[in-house]
Amino acid sequence: MPVMHGRDRELAAVADLLSDARASRGGALVVRGHAGIGKTMLLAAARHAAAEAGMAVLQTNGAQAEAALPFAGLHQLLAPLLGDLDALTPPLRRTLRGAFGLGDQDARPDLFCVGLAVLELLGERAARAPLLILAEDAHWLDPETLDVLVFVARRLRVEPIAALLAVRAQHTGVLARTGLSRLYLDELDDDAARRVLRDHAPGLAPGLRERILAEAGGNPLALVELPRLIAAGADADLPELLPLNERLETAFGDRFAQLPAATRAVMAVYSADAACPLPTLLSVAGALTGDEVTAAAIQPAIDAGLMQVHAQRLRFRHPLVRSAVYRSVGDMARLTIHALLAEAMAGEQDRWAWHRSAAALGPTRPSAGSWRRRPPGRSSAARSVRPSPASTGPRTSPATRPAARRCCCAPPTWPRSCTTGGSPPG
């Protein structure tokens, strides 16, 4: 079993839960934390400890593909016990068979009766050996399964049964206000993060190690995956946004595609320039959507756990959220965002030059001399977000905006590659 650095408190809570269950003082624990924070490893540690103690284990894993199928998660959990249905009283047996489509009744089964049937079936199994129930990605379980699990979990006090249910932190409404005990997984502290990195990438150069520690922000998944994505010897010349693989993009970009169009536009612009003033941020986002965008568009991203306000400054919740958002945006949308930002920052030479370069199509870039000039016809006070037709160099144009709007503001299947030839300025 892999070592979990920095999780002594959480492992002790799981050990107590299992110990109590073996003494017929059952209970449940809802484990919350952001993606990649270690919920899966904690459940694996619980499974390992339960097996070593002679406990039986049942597990269900939530999946978005089955979230709309009633009792799909419950069917997965109880599949090993379906041969024991005859141990139930006839009414409860019919109810549970009906919930799984095994009976003749077409009517929707009563949730209370399903809960009683599940509790009785689990009790029968636990009479032979204490039982651990695991529910991973519970936020993707179907509502009926969640309701039954909560019903059962609240009635384990005199049963030799323990339950662990893992939920991503941003799904705040799932398993909320249930009265079940909660265990929140925070980011690892610096010492624990260094130990994780040392275990998985012991030969990193000092500069690269510090960079990965800063980007990972105490997230164990990032600490494990980032070193695998960075070539050896790349210490000196790393881009501002480190490369991500599919696991990291999925973990840190979770829920981005489900946000409102205006919110996605704001996040896309902010990922391209995290020092962008709020008026410019909203103006460029409005140019992308074709509608006025107000500060209220930021709130859904905060509610989703992707952004936060700290010390009166807007920022991404985690450095890798910015990377995931930037790399999720379509190529034409990225080019257009940089073009609009260049025009909006006409009076700030360095940032104008960088965004103008990042908005160029193909290998051609504006010359060093042109970078030192402001866009033609623009003064430092002119901050229009409309691209200037007189600007030189291969640039995006107003004709690209419909494509950019489709890429940035519609629920997309976006390209994973970044072809703009640069990384956002810090």
Side-chain angles (χ1 to χ4, degrees), residues 343-366:
E343 295 302 323
M345 296 174 181
E348 300 178 45
Q349 251 180 19
D350 290 343
R351 294 170 76 194
W352 169 78
W354 192 93
H355 283 299
R356 189 163 180 251
S357 173
L361 287 167
T364 306
R365 292 290 182 265

Side-chain angles (χ1 to χ4, degrees), residues 46-238:
R47 170 185 278 277
H48 180 76
E52 282 198 331
M55 298 177 69
V57 181
L58 297 175
Q59 181 164 349
T60 186
N61 292 53
Q64 285 179 296
E66 295 189 355
L69 301 178
F71 302 109
L74 191 64
H75 183 268
Q76 185 186 44
L77 179 75
L78 298 180
L81 305 184
L82 293 182
D84 299 335
L85 292 184
D86 288 343
L88 298 177
T89 57
L92 294 182
R93 181 168 64 248
R94 286 194 299 271
T95 295
L96 199 52
R97 286 177 59 84
F100 295 152
L102 302 175
D104 298 329
Q105 56 191 37
D106 295 327
R108 177 187 175 94
D110 179 74
L111 278 176
F112 179 78
C113 292
V114 174
L116 286 178
V118 172
L119 188 61
E120 184 172 316
L121 185 63
L122 294 175
E124 288 288 335
R125 178 62 184 87
R128 288 174 264 162
L131 182 63
L132 171 63
I133 297 170
L134 298 174
E136 186 161 5
D137 289 333
H139 45 278
W140 286 330
L141 288 173
D142 58 277
E144 292 80 4
T145 292
L146 279 173
D147 288 341
V148 171
L149 287 178
V150 171
F151 178 91
V152 170
R154 289 171 51 85
R155 290 161 175 79
L156 297 179
R157 292 182 182 177
V158 295
E159 301 284 352
I161 303 173
L164 276 172
L165 304 95
V167 183
R168 283 192 182 177
Q170 55 265 49
H171 295 267
T172 54
V174 177
L175 297 177
R177 298 178 294 278
T178 59
L180 301 178
S181 299
R182 291 172 293 177
L183 180 64
Y184 193 87
L185 296 188
D186 288 310
E187 282 75 16
L188 297 175
D189 62 27
D190 184 67
D191 179 63
R194 288 179 184 277
R195 281 182 280 155
V196 171
L197 194 56
R198 187 169 59 245
D199 284 355
H200 291 273
L204 289 177
L208 182 55
R209 180 176 62 248
E210 296 305 315
R211 177 69 190 280
I212 289 176
L213 286 168
E215 291 288 330
N219 184 281
L221 178 64
L223 289 165
V224 171
E225 295 291 335
L226 282 177
R228 300 173 181 171
L229 301 174
I230 299 173
D235 190 9
D237 224 2
L238 288 175

